[in-house]
Amino acid sequence: MSSVTIVRTRRHQAGLPSLSPLSRAIIVACLSIGAVGLGGTAYAQQARPADTSPQMYKIAAGTLDQALNAFGAQAGILIWIDATRTQGKTSAGLNGQYGVEGGLAALLAGSGLQAVKSEKGGYVLQDASSSPTSNGTLPTVEVSAAADSGENNAYRTRSMNLGALGAGSLRNTPYTVDVVTRELIENKQAHSLSDAVKGDAGIASGSNYTNGTGDVLLIRGTLLSYRNNYKLDGMDLIGFLGAPQLPVEVMENIEVLKGAGGFLYGFGTPGGIVSLSLKRPTDAPVRMLNTQITDSGKVLVHGDLGGRLGEDGRFGYRINLINEQGNTYVKDGGKIDRQTASLAFDWRLTRDVVLSVDALHQERRVDAVYYQLVPNASGAVSNAISAPPAAVDGSKRLASPFAYSQVRSTSLGTSLSWQFAPEWNAKVSYRKWDQDMQSDHSFLYANAAGTYSEMQISLPSQVRSEQTQAMVTGSFGGDFLRNDVTLGVSYSGIYAQESNDFKSAVLGTGVLGTNTNYANPGLSTVWTGGGWRFPEQQKSAFISDIAHFGSQVDLIGGLRHSSFRSTTYDKGAVTPTLALVYRPVNWLSTYASYVEALEQGSVAPTGTINANEVFAPLKSKQTEIGVKAELENWSGSAALFRMNQALTYITSGGVYTQDGQARYQGLELSSKLRLDRRWNILASAVFLDARNTRTSGGTLDGKRTPGASRQQYSLYSEYSLADMPATFTGGVRYVSARALDTANNWELPGYTVWDLGARYVTHLGQTKTTLRLNLDNVANKAYWLMAGSNRLIQGAPRTVSLSAQFDF
C-alpha cells in the first residue's frame, strides 16, 4: 500500500485464550472480588476479535477519515487507511445502533470502498468492486440499526454520553455507569423506569407505576431528586410533587450514572443521574407494531416508524405512538388511560452541520392511587412515625377508587451540531419541559395492626422548565500525549406553582386490604392560578480535559462553576472533578476519582407542618476507586465508594428538617457474561453502610439512614434453545431490611422477588414476529417499597404480560 495510516483509537484491546463456560464464570467471580491481575501481560500483545454486538453511535457527518477515526475509537478497533483512497471523500456519519460491520458499511456508503478484515487485526479498506485479498476476507455486512439485538452479548454496550465529558467508553470512565438497552426494555416488557432498571442491584424503587403516583428511584440508598436528577438526552426534566413520569417505550436506552454527577450535569443530589435517550432516526428503516395484554385486562398498542428521506438520506424521522388502557392489577377500581407520542427529526444541512428537533407528549391518568402510606401508632392522621403494618398484597386496593393522578407533560427539544474542524465539534441544545398535574390522591396513615385513616388532597400543580446549553468538544496532540477537551455553558429556568384552591378531607378509617368504600367528597379543584411560587435560575460554566498519556494512562480534570438563584437565596460554588485511569493490560482499567456536587436544597413534602419550605443548597462530595474489565464475552466492574450528603428527615412533631449529613460508603459489583452463544447472565450486588453523622447534639450520629438497605442483589439470566428460536428468562432481586426512621426504632423487612419469562421468534410471511410472555413476582410476594423516612408504597403483585411484536 502506498501510504498506510493507523486510525487513532482510545483503546487497544487484547484477549484471553478460549475458555470453558465454567472457567469464564470463575474469572467473573474473581474479578468481582478485585483480582485485577487476571491474565498477566502475556496476553497483552494478542489481538482480540472485535465484539460485533450492536451499540449506539453518534458520529457527525464530515470527512471520511474523521468519521472512521471516531468509529474506531468508539468501537475499540483498528482501521487501516490508504490515504490515496480516502482523500476528498466524505461520510454522512452515524446516528443509531450498529454492529461493527454494519457501522463500517454505513460510514462507507457511497464512497466506493469496503472494509475487509485484516490478518494484522482490525480492518483494511479496499475498492468495493475488488475481491477479497490476502489482507483478509470480506465479512458479511448487515446494517442493523433497528433489527439486531444486543441480547446475544448480554445486552452490553461500550459507550455512553456523560454530560460535560461528552461521549465516552464505559470501561475508561472513572465512575460507576451502566446502560439499559432498548432490547432489554422490550424483552422485560417494561413500561416504567422501575420496571426497566430492576435488574440493577445499585438501583432500588421507592414507588411504582401503578399503586403510587409515579416512579421514585434510589441509587446506592440515596433518593434521587425529582427536580434535578432525571434527564432526557442529558437535559433537565423537572418534577414538582414527584418524579417526571416518562414512557420508557419511546426511549432508545437508559443511561445511569451512580454517584455524584455535579460536574457532569450540574445541580443534583449525589446519588446519581438517570438520563433517558429518545428514539431517533436510523439509516435502516424501522417499521414496528407491538401489542400487549396483561392478566388484569390492560391493553397496550405501540407503533414505531422511522427511516430517512431525500438525497443521500439527509432527512431522518422517527415516530412513536402508544395507547394504553384498561384495568391495572389493583383490583376493584384500578384503571389506567395513557396516550403517548414522540417525534424526532434530523436534517443534514451540510456534511458538517446537523439540525435535530424532537417532541414528546404524554397524557396519563391512573385511578385508585395514593401518594404515600405513613406508619404511625394511632392509625389516625399523624406524621409521627411508628412501627409499620404487615405488607399488603399489591393487588389489594388501599386508596378509594375515586382517588386519581392525572398528568399531562410535554417536552420540546432542538439541537444544532457543527463539525467545524476534523476533530472539533460545536453543539447548541435547547429543551423545554411542561408538566401539569391534576390529582385527587390519597395519603394513608396506618398503625402496626393495619388500622388506617385515609385523607384525600386535591392540589393542582404546574411546573415549567427550560434549559439551553452550548458545548465545544475537540482533540489535539500526538500519540504520546493527546487531549480531549470540553468547554460549555448552561442556563436553566424552573418555575413551579400550585393552585390557590387547596382542598383536603379525611374520608374515614378502616383496615388495610379490606377495600373500604367511603363517600366521594368531590374535592376536585378548578385551577385558579396563584403565580409562580418557586421560580429558580441555574447557571453554570464548565471545562474538562482528558489527557491520554500513551495507551495506558488517562488523567481527567474538570471544573464547573454553578450559581443558583431563587426567591429565598442566591448561591454559587465551584465543583471540581479529578480522576486517574490506568490500564495495566489493554482489556482492564483501574481508576480513582473525586467529585463534588452542588446539591439543590430540599423541599418539605406535602403532609408535613412546614410543607413546601425550600432549604438552601449544599455541597456534597464523593470518592471512588474501582476496576473494570471488558473482553469479548464478558465485562465486569467493582467499585469502592464513599459519599456525603445533607441529611433530611421528618421529626416526631411532623416538621421536615435538614440537619447533619448522611454518609454512604460501600462496595458495588456487576458483571455481564455470555457463557456461550445461548446463555447470558447479568449479575450485580451492592454492600452499603449508610449512617447519619454531624447531627445536632449528636443524638442521631451513627444511626442507619432511613430507606437504605445494607445489601441488594440482582441476577438475570437467559437461555436460548439450540433447536428452536425460543429463549427462557429468569430473574431474582433481593433487598435487605431498611431502617424506617432516623432514630432506628423500627425497620422494614427485606424481600426477595422472582421473575420468569419466555419469548419465541418466528416469521409470518416476511414479517419478523416476536412473542413474549413475562411472569413477574412469581410467588406473589407482598412487600413495602420505601422512599425516604416515611413513604411506603405496596410492591407490585404477580403480573402476567403477553405481547406480540411485528417488525415489517
Side-chain angles (χ1 to χ4, degrees):
M1 299 171 65
S2 58
S3 175
V4 177
T5 303
I6 299 178
V7 174
R8 293 187 180 95
T9 63
R10 295 294 179 264
R11 58 186 182 185
H12 305 280
Q13 300 188 344
L16 290 173
S18 178
L19 300 173
S20 69
L22 178 59
S23 299
R24 291 172 181 162
I26 293 173
I27 289 174
V28 173
C30 292
L31 172 68
S32 298
I33 60 175
V36 302
L38 178 65
T41 58
Y43 302 112
Q45 303 304 317
Q46 298 181 21
R48 177 178 71 81
D51 182 359
T52 58
S53 60
Q55 68 181 71
M56 285 297 300
Y57 294 96
K58 292 184 179 179
I59 298 175
T63 67
L64 185 57
D65 285 355
Q66 167 196 324
L68 290 170
N69 190 14
F71 184 83
Q74 294 184 37
I77 62 172
L78 290 173
I79 305 174
W80 299 76
I81 297 177
D82 180 350
T84 61
R85 296 180 186 272
T86 59
Q87 185 175 7
K89 295 183 182 293
T90 61
S91 174
L94 286 182
N95 189 353
Q97 189 166 9
Y98 296 84
V100 170
E101 286 82 7
L104 286 170
L107 288 174
L108 295 171
S111 68
L113 300 175
Q114 63 185 356
V116 179
K117 287 184 177 178
S118 170
E119 293 177 352
K120 303 175 184 179
Y123 291 81
V124 64
L125 301 183
Q126 293 185 353
D127 292 337
S129 58
S130 300
S131 300
T133 69
S134 60
N135 288 323
T137 58
L138 184 64
T140 300
V141 177
E142 179 182 358
V143 178
S144 53
D148 281 357
S149 172
E151 64 197 50
N152 291 327
N153 203 14
Y155 300 100
R156 291 194 297 153
T157 59
R158 296 188 178 276
S159 63
M160 67 178 288
N161 291 308
L162 283 167
L165 290 180
S169 159
L170 269 68
R171 179 168 64 84
N172 293 325
T173 300
Y175 317 103
T176 303
V177 294
D178 196 14
V179 178
V180 181
T181 65
R182 173 181 54 83
E183 293 84 7
L184 188 57
I185 293 171
E186 290 176 348
N187 288 336
K188 287 186 174 182
Q189 299 193 64
H191 299 299
S192 68
L193 278 173
S194 297
D195 290 341
V197 303
K198 66 182 180 182
D200 190 324
I203 308 174
S205 178
S207 184
N208 66 51
Y209 181 74
T210 302
N211 275 327
T213 57
D215 282 304
V216 176
L217 299 179
L218 299 90
I219 297 182
R220 293 176 173 175
T222 304
L223 182 66
L224 298 190
S225 167
Y226 52 75
R227 299 167 73 85
N228 289 114
N229 288 65
Y230 297 90
K231 311 287 182 180
L232 181 59
D233 289 325
M235 303 283 280
D236 284 343
L237 295 179
I238 306 298
F240 183 52
L241 294 177
Q245 297 174 14
L246 299 172
V248 297
E249 302 97 335
V250 303
M251 304 300 169
E252 188 64 43
N253 56 46
I254 301 171
E255 300 175 335
V256 180
L257 167 70
K258 300 175 184 177
F263 164 73
L264 299 174
Y265 291 96
F267 289 90
T269 57
I273 298 293
V274 175
S275 181
L276 297 92
S277 299
L278 193 67
K279 288 181 177 179
R280 294 194 175 276
T282 59
D283 287 337
V286 176
R287 307 286 187 270
M288 187 275 288
L289 176 66
N290 186 41
T291 60
Q292 183 198 80
I293 187 170
T294 65
D295 56 331
S296 63
K298 178 167 63 71
V299 178
L300 178 142
V301 179
H302 172 204
D304 186 355
L305 179 69
R308 308 204 72 85
L309 302 171
E311 182 182 357
D312 298 326
R314 290 189 176 184
F315 181 79
Y317 64 95
R318 191 72 176 269
I319 302 171
N320 278 259
L321 300 174
I322 298 172
N323 184 64
E324 182 182 28
Q325 294 188 40
N327 297 324
T328 69
Y329 55 66
V330 177
K331 297 179 180 177
D332 188 29
K335 297 182 183 299
I336 188 169
D337 186 359
R338 175 172 70 108
Q339 290 77 42
T340 301
S342 73
L343 309 173
F345 305 99
D346 66 44
W347 186 12
R348 298 166 180 168
L349 300 175
T350 71
R351 69 179 187 181
D352 300 320
V353 180
V354 179
L355 174 66
S356 298
V357 179
D358 65 74
L360 170 64
H361 181 77
Q362 178 171 250
E363 297 186 11
R364 175 178 177 266
R365 173 175 172 138
V366 184
D367 293 337
V369 298
Y370 57 100
Y371 188 75
Q372 64 183 15
L373 182 147
V374 178
N376 61 27
S378 64
V381 176
S382 170
N383 284 296
I385 301 175
S386 186
V392 180
D393 187 317
S395 66
K396 298 287 187 179
R397 176 174 60 79
L398 301 188
S400 293
F402 50 80
Y404 72 94
S405 173
Q406 182 169 304
V407 177
R408 174 181 296 176
S409 54
T410 302
S411 176
L412 300 174
T414 185
S415 67
L416 184 66
S417 177
W418 176 30
Q419 197 81 23
F420 61 88
E423 296 190 63
W424 288 86
N425 179 269
K427 185 176 183 179
V428 178
S429 304
Y430 172 82
R431 183 160 299 283
K432 185 176 187 293
W433 170 256
D434 293 346
Q435 179 170 295
D436 297 345
M437 177 179 288
Q438 172 69 57
S439 300
D440 288 4
H441 53 252
S442 294
F443 285 71
L444 306 174
Y445 302 84
N447 61 21
T451 300
Y452 79 100
S453 298
E454 180 178 357
M455 180 177 71
Q456 191 173 87
I457 291 180
S458 182
L459 181 61
S461 65
Q462 297 180 342
V463 62
R464 306 280 186 267
S465 70
E466 58 181 353
Q467 180 182 6
T468 302
Q469 181 170 276
M471 290 178 58
V472 176
T473 58
S475 299
F476 62 90
D479 290 333
F480 173 71
L481 176 58
R482 187 165 185 83
N483 297 80
D484 295 339
V485 297
T486 300
L487 304 94
V489 293
S490 176
Y491 168 82
S492 296
I494 304 170
Y495 310 91
Q497 64 178 340
E498 298 170 338
S499 173
N500 286 331
D501 187 14
F502 175 91
K503 295 178 181 178
S504 65
V506 177
L507 305 182
T509 61
V511 178
L512 292 177
T514 59
N515 286 6
T516 305
N517 290 295
Y518 305 112
N520 188 344
L523 294 182
S524 292
T525 58
V526 177
W527 181 262
T528 60
W532 297 110
R533 296 178 56 193
F534 307 99
E536 302 167 356
Q537 290 183 345
Q538 301 175 6
K539 300 177 182 179
S540 64
F542 50 89
I543 182 172
S544 68
D545 180 25
I546 305 176
H548 305 276
F549 295 90
S551 62
Q552 289 189 294
V553 178
D554 295 341
L555 181 62
I556 302 172
L559 291 174
R560 180 186 287 262
H561 180 272
S562 302
S563 61
F564 188 96
R565 175 181 295 179
S566 72
T567 55
T568 56
Y569 50 79
D570 187 349
K571 184 173 182 177
V574 175
T575 52
T577 187
L578 183 64
L580 178 68
V581 179
Y582 173 62
R583 290 174 288 276
V585 289
N586 290 331
W587 48 268
L588 184 71
S589 296
T590 61
Y591 68 89
S593 62
Y594 172 79
V595 184
E596 292 185 3
L598 188 60
E599 179 182 351
Q600 187 173 351
S602 301
V603 179
T606 302
T608 57
I609 291 177
N610 57 331
N612 295 325
E613 180 181 351
V614 181
F615 293 85
L618 296 172
K619 184 179 289 188
S620 55
K621 302 177 181 181
Q622 175 188 285
T623 55
E624 180 172 316
I625 58 174
V627 57
K628 300 180 182 181
E630 192 174 87
L631 292 168
E632 183 174 4
N633 292 321
W634 68 276
S635 61
S637 66
L640 287 167
F641 58 89
R642 180 167 184 168
M643 177 178 63
N644 293 318
Q645 180 192 17
L647 177 65
T648 59
Y649 58 93
I650 299 174
T651 67
S652 58
V655 177
Y656 186 81
T657 184
Q658 184 171 283
D659 170 41
Q661 288 189 341
R663 184 208 63 202
Y664 301 84
Q665 57 186 16
L667 170 66
E668 182 165 357
L669 309 170
S670 68
S671 183
K672 296 181 179 181
L673 169 67
R674 179 172 62 180
L675 287 172
D676 56 37
R677 294 183 63 184
R678 296 191 296 273
W679 193 358
N680 292 313
I681 297 176
L682 285 67
S684 56
V686 171
F687 304 91
L688 180 65
D689 178 29
R691 303 280 175 177
N692 304 330
T693 63
R694 301 181 183 180
T695 58
S696 298
T699 56
L700 297 178
D701 287 1
K703 301 292 186 180
R704 292 167 55 199
T705 303
S709 59
R710 289 191 178 100
Q711 300 173 30
Q712 293 181 189
Y713 306 102
S714 179
L715 178 67
Y716 177 81
S717 182
E718 297 188 344
Y719 186 81
S720 300
L721 299 182
D723 54 351
M724 63 186 301
T727 301
F728 295 94
T729 68
V732 59
R733 60 191 184 278
Y734 167 76
V735 176
S736 67
R738 297 139 290 166
L740 180 64
D741 63 313
T742 311
N744 293 181
N745 294 318
W746 302 278
E747 71 174 17
L748 285 178
Y751 61 87
T752 302
V753 177
W754 296 83
D755 302 327
L756 292 174
R759 63 181 179 272
Y760 183 84
V761 180
T762 184
H763 282 79
L764 298 179
Q766 299 299 314
T767 302
K768 178 183 176 182
T769 303
T770 305
L771 305 176
R772 297 183 178 93
L773 175 66
N774 292 82
L775 178 60
D776 295 335
N777 193 357
V778 176
N780 199 30
K781 174 71 174 179
Y783 58 98
W784 289 120
L785 299 171
M786 181 179 179
S789 60
N790 75 329
R791 182 177 179 179
L792 305 185
I793 295 286
Q794 295 159 279
R798 179 167 52 228
T799 306
V800 181
S801 302
L802 176 64
S803 70
Q805 178 177 319
F806 307 95
D807 292 284
F808 300 95

